Amino acid sequence: PEPQDDRQKNDPEGEYEWHTGHQRPHGEEDAVEFVEVHKAFGRNKILRGLNMGIPNNKISMILGPSGTGKSVCIKHMVGLLYPDEGDVIVHGESVPDMADEDLFEMRKKFGVLFQDGALFGSMDLYDNVAFPLRQHTDKGEDEIEEIVMRRLREVGLEGSREKMPNELSGGMRKRAGFARALVLDPDIVL
């Protein structure tokens, strides 16, 4: 029979399929686990019974074409979306069942790097990276400066601390976003 869509044309043997439910042992506890997760927006079903474990202490990737649920998965991990059915578990705790104050604390485990860096246009680079420390800790400015400058050094931006986001190249903005994602020493970086 003729292939019915581009996926079949590029993979006539059917070697590469959508998620099959097969889970490979990885030797670590799961940092994040999806259990029979379903999510739809209107009639558009995005996640259909997703079972997936993302291990601690490993680098994992979620790959797929546009519209297949990669960002939807990330939003479920941090409690910005909730499953229609199923459960999302972070370090052994159900995200949909968390009280608001527990959800706020759980989110501190995550460092999130957005595609465009998502820097605040009204703040210089230093203040952008310092923002999570000022928002979520009671550290003094001397300690904040030490942490921020260490992270800026690690991404090669220590000489740009006073620049505004519009003065940075696209790559510099991404590196600044990465420094900000790491500034709270998160358990999980997305």
Side-chain angles (χ1 to χ4, degrees), residues 9 52 60-61 83 90 99 101 107 142 146 156:
K9 287 178 191 171
M52 174 174 64
S60 300
M61 293 182 285
V90 173
E101 59 272 5
R107 286 179 177 149
D142 289 344
E146 180 183 321

Side-chain angles (χ1 to χ4, degrees), residues 137-165:
T137 73
D138 56 2
K139 297 181 184 310
E141 283 301 313
D142 289 344
E143 189 176 1
I144 288 173
E145 182 173 15
E146 180 183 321
I147 294 167
V148 169
M149 293 311 296
R150 182 178 76 240
R151 292 303 188 190
L152 288 176
R153 253 189 322 277
E154 289 170 349
V155 299
L157 291 174
E158 68 181 313
S160 301
R161 69 178 277 168
E162 294 178 3
K163 288 190 175 184
M164 298 302 283

Side-chain angles (χ1 to χ4, degrees), residues 12-75:
E13 303 300 317
E15 182 179 353
Y16 302 103
E17 301 264 336
W18 297 114
H19 192 280
T20 61
H22 176 72
Q23 294 185 341
R24 294 170 185 86
H26 47 64
E28 294 282 345
E29 293 288 321
D30 284 334
V32 180
E33 186 178 1
F34 287 76
V35 181
E36 284 297 314
V37 174
H38 291 260
K39 184 64 178 180
F41 299 100
R43 289 191 281 171
N44 189 13
K45 295 178 182 176
I46 305 297
L47 304 178
R48 300 175 211 159
L50 176 62
N51 289 294
M52 174 174 64
I54 300 174
N56 268 322
N57 304 316
K58 302 240 184 224
I59 295 173
S60 300
M61 293 182 285
I62 300 173
L63 301 173
S66 178
T68 56
K70 301 177 301 291
S71 294
V72 171
C73 284
I74 289 172
K75 289 176 182 178

